[in-house]
Amino acid sequence: MTIQVDISMNELQQLDKQHFLHPSSSIKQQQEHGPAFIFTEGNGIYLKDISGKKVIDGLSSLWNVNIGHGRKEMGQAAFDQMSKLAYSSCFATFSHEPAILLAAKLAELTPGDLNATFFTSGGSESNDTAIKLVRHYWILKNQPQKKKIISRTKSYHGLTIGATSATGIKVFRDFTQSLAPDFYYADHFSPESLRELIEVEGPDTIAAFISEPVQGTGGVLIAPDGYFQEIRKICDEYHILFISDEVITGFGRTGKYFGIEHYGVIPDMMTVAKGITSGYAPLGGVILSQKIHHEFIELSTETLFHGYTYSGHPVSCAVALKNIEILEREKLVENARVMGEELLKGFQWLQKEHEIVGEVRGLGLMAAIELVQDKATHTRFAKPLAPTIATELMKRGLNCRAVVLEGADTLVFAPPFIITPKVVNRMIEILHDTLSIVESSSHSG
């Protein structure tokens, strides 16, 4: 028997304000206005809220619904696994079929010799795990002084304490008065900055360098040509492990299975989450190179004292396997590449048509529009315009993210891989209309 709950939108809003503390949200705004949207349905590339309003999910919700919403076969995969084995621990070498098969599939998909996966529940856990594993690795190698982690300015690696400490965007670190120790930040576009930092701190104290192939939360920041090739060279020169944070860029977002593949280098570890299940179930992982994996095997004599209750959760792993099957069957990674090119062409047209559109950029279906007051001088608005435009876009049926961190004034987009030319064109139309209205308003004001 199904119990139907009849509750009004107003009642839900009040319950939300009283009982739901939202992640990465303004508590004051929530208390004053309630939830901005209460979504009730997802279908393909669209979301529908409780009032019946339908919007294009131009950010794949949180960079993660890669195959689109409402895939019944994903629900069936979860149901089938729940009916068979809903949960089983992977501690103490216990195992089960979905985790084994998924780990083997990841070894097949990942570049180079990346071949063994430690499963987590999400991206922050994955980056925390990678940090702990590299430090443990150097302990096993009798170099316990190699414990410092270097990341990049404008980087984002998650919100657990280790991942926050590794995040280069300062406002996230300012949230707490006590960060984890031994984290440092090199300039996000400068290999030489990394080299200088290593020399100052001492190579024999550095455990790893961690980087997103494309900095997502920072505003879809794409490294200059040759950057990652030089980074790989520096890490090898100083015997430092290289971690590629593929939490956003993994599983096709950039038009290749993994973002680092665009640069022809192989990391020592890769962290994944989000797109591994397209958001249909929580799951993440750290994928180790064969070399690192074998050294763990050879040097470890005691228990690996790290793990999560849901490491290798059977249902999540089954959902991930079905997600990858859909990506392959429908050639969605290739579609992300092709549609990403179309989206960037549309942004370049907007750049010509609108005086407030500065730099536009993209890689696959990660794309951004910079907003400027003066194109010639790249002068920003005194008050960032992106939040206002994002709100107006939502009113007209397009969800995106406004990035105003670290002085940015940027609209970012990452739609599901099932996007079609027709929907790309509709996104550009909505953007064009909204930008025109904002420009007209600023002139009249």
Side-chain angles (χ1 to χ4, degrees):
M1 178 180 176
T2 302
I3 300 174
Q4 298 291 333
V5 178
D6 186 14
I7 187 165
S8 71
M9 181 166 64
N10 182 63
E11 288 173 313
L12 283 171
Q13 289 173 331
Q14 293 306 312
L15 289 171
D16 185 285
K17 289 196 287 186
Q18 292 169 16
H19 304 295
F20 188 4
L21 188 62
H22 288 250
S24 290
S25 300
S26 166
I27 296 175
K28 182 177 180 181
Q29 181 179 347
Q30 179 205 7
Q31 290 305 307
E32 288 180 354
H33 305 292
F37 288 87
I38 300 175
F39 292 111
T40 58
E41 295 178 43
N43 183 21
I45 204 162
Y46 297 98
L47 287 169
K48 185 184 289 186
D49 77 357
I50 195 168
S51 70
K53 181 178 178 60
K54 189 169 77 169
V55 299
I56 297 170
D57 189 2
L59 197 69
S60 297
S61 288
L62 202 58
W63 316 87
N64 60 338
V65 189
N66 293 355
I67 62 171
H69 298 276
R71 294 274 191 157
K72 289 184 170 54
E73 59 186 308
M74 294 288 277
Q76 188 64 49
F79 174 81
D80 291 345
Q81 185 57 48
M82 285 180 183
S83 302
K84 184 178 181 181
L85 178 68
Y87 176 74
S88 174
S89 168
C90 292
F91 283 35
T93 76
F94 287 14
S95 200
H96 53 75
E97 186 177 347
I100 294 169
L101 294 180
L102 179 57
K105 184 63 178 179
L106 294 175
E108 176 188 319
L109 291 176
T110 48
D113 67 340
L114 292 160
N115 81 333
T117 299
F118 185 104
F119 288 111
T120 72
S121 303
S124 294
E125 283 187 2
S126 294
N127 285 325
D128 259 24
T129 296
I131 290 162
K132 288 181 72 174
L133 288 177
V134 296
R135 286 173 169 169
H136 184 64
Y137 170 81
W138 290 115
I139 290 171
L140 293 176
K141 298 275 284 184
N142 291 317
Q143 298 181 66
Q145 76 282 1
K146 286 177 75 71
K147 58 184 179 179
K148 295 174 183 175
I149 306 296
I150 300 177
S151 64
R152 301 161 67 192
T153 57
K154 301 185 185 294
S155 67
Y156 176 83
H157 298 291
L159 294 178
T160 52
I161 192 67
T164 295
S165 301
T167 290
I169 300 172
K170 189 173 180 293
V171 291
F172 290 105
R173 303 199 307 273
D174 290 344
F175 180 77
T176 175
Q177 79 276 26
S178 183
L179 294 168
D182 299 314
F183 287 87
Y184 300 82
Y185 317 96
D187 182 86
H188 71 132
F189 280 169
S190 170
E192 191 54 39
S193 173
L194 173 61
R195 183 182 293 277
E196 290 171 1
L197 185 53
I198 292 169
E199 291 286 355
V200 168
E201 294 299 323
D204 59 343
T205 71
I206 312 296
F209 173 76
I210 184 170
S211 177
E212 306 155 272
V214 177
Q215 293 181 311
T217 302
V220 186
L221 304 175
I222 302 168
D225 291 345
Y227 174 83
F228 282 106
Q229 293 86 340
E230 187 62 24
I231 291 297
R232 178 73 268 186
K233 187 186 302 181
I234 291 170
C235 288
D236 289 341
E237 179 182 342
Y238 291 106
H239 304 289
I240 293 167
L241 299 184
F242 174 30
I243 305 165
S244 181
D245 177 351
E246 300 269 0
V247 171
I248 289 176
T249 55
F251 300 93
R253 174 56 59 191
T254 65
K256 292 183 180 288
Y257 256 101
F258 300 97
I260 202 66
E261 292 183 275
H262 289 278
Y263 310 108
V265 301
I266 310 299
D268 300 292
M269 293 185 183
M270 177 185 287
T271 59
V272 297
K274 293 190 184 291
I276 194 172
T277 64
S278 285
Y280 281 76
L283 187 67
V286 182
I287 309 172
L288 314 181
S289 71
Q290 183 169 316
K291 176 181 180 294
I292 301 296
H293 184 211
H294 282 180
E295 288 188 282
F296 271 116
I297 294 168
E298 291 168 4
L299 298 173
S300 295
T301 58
E302 298 181 358
T303 300
L304 183 69
F305 287 106
H306 181 70
Y308 306 98
T309 299
Y310 298 122
S311 290
H313 191 283
V315 176
S316 293
C317 289
V319 168
L321 285 164
K322 179 58 67 173
N323 178 63
I324 293 169
E325 177 190 318
I326 291 170
L327 288 173
E328 292 181 332
R329 184 178 73 227
E330 299 184 11
K331 298 180 172 56
L332 292 180
V333 177
E334 173 63 10
N335 197 59
R337 182 189 68 79
V338 174
M339 290 297 98
E341 292 173 357
E342 289 301 306
L343 186 62
L344 186 57
K345 287 178 186 176
F347 285 4
Q348 289 166 343
W349 178 79
L350 291 171
Q351 186 182 42
K352 294 175 183 176
E353 292 290 313
H354 295 280
E355 60 187 32
I356 65 172
V357 175
E359 180 186 352
V360 297
R361 54 186 177 268
L363 187 63
L365 284 173
M366 287 184 77
I369 294 173
E370 294 277 2
L371 301 169
V372 293
Q373 189 169 25
D374 189 311
K375 284 188 183 183
T377 61
H378 306 287
T379 304
R380 306 272 189 193
F381 288 93
K383 181 181 179 181
L385 201 56
T388 299
I389 294 179
T391 299
E392 291 301 314
L393 287 171
M394 199 67 167
K395 291 177 183 177
R396 291 167 176 79
L398 175 59
N399 175 38
C400 72
R401 172 179 279 189
V403 174
V404 296
L405 305 172
E406 305 277 320
D409 193 2
T410 309
L411 300 168
V412 300
F413 301 83
F417 301 174
I418 58 170
I419 193 167
T420 62
K422 181 178 179 180
V423 179
V424 169
N425 289 338
R426 181 59 186 147
M427 287 177 65
I428 301 304
E429 287 174 2
I430 294 171
L431 276 160
H432 177 52
D433 291 345
T434 304
L435 290 166
S436 297
I437 291 168
V438 170
E439 285 175 335
S440 175
S441 175
S442 65
H443 286 318
S444 63

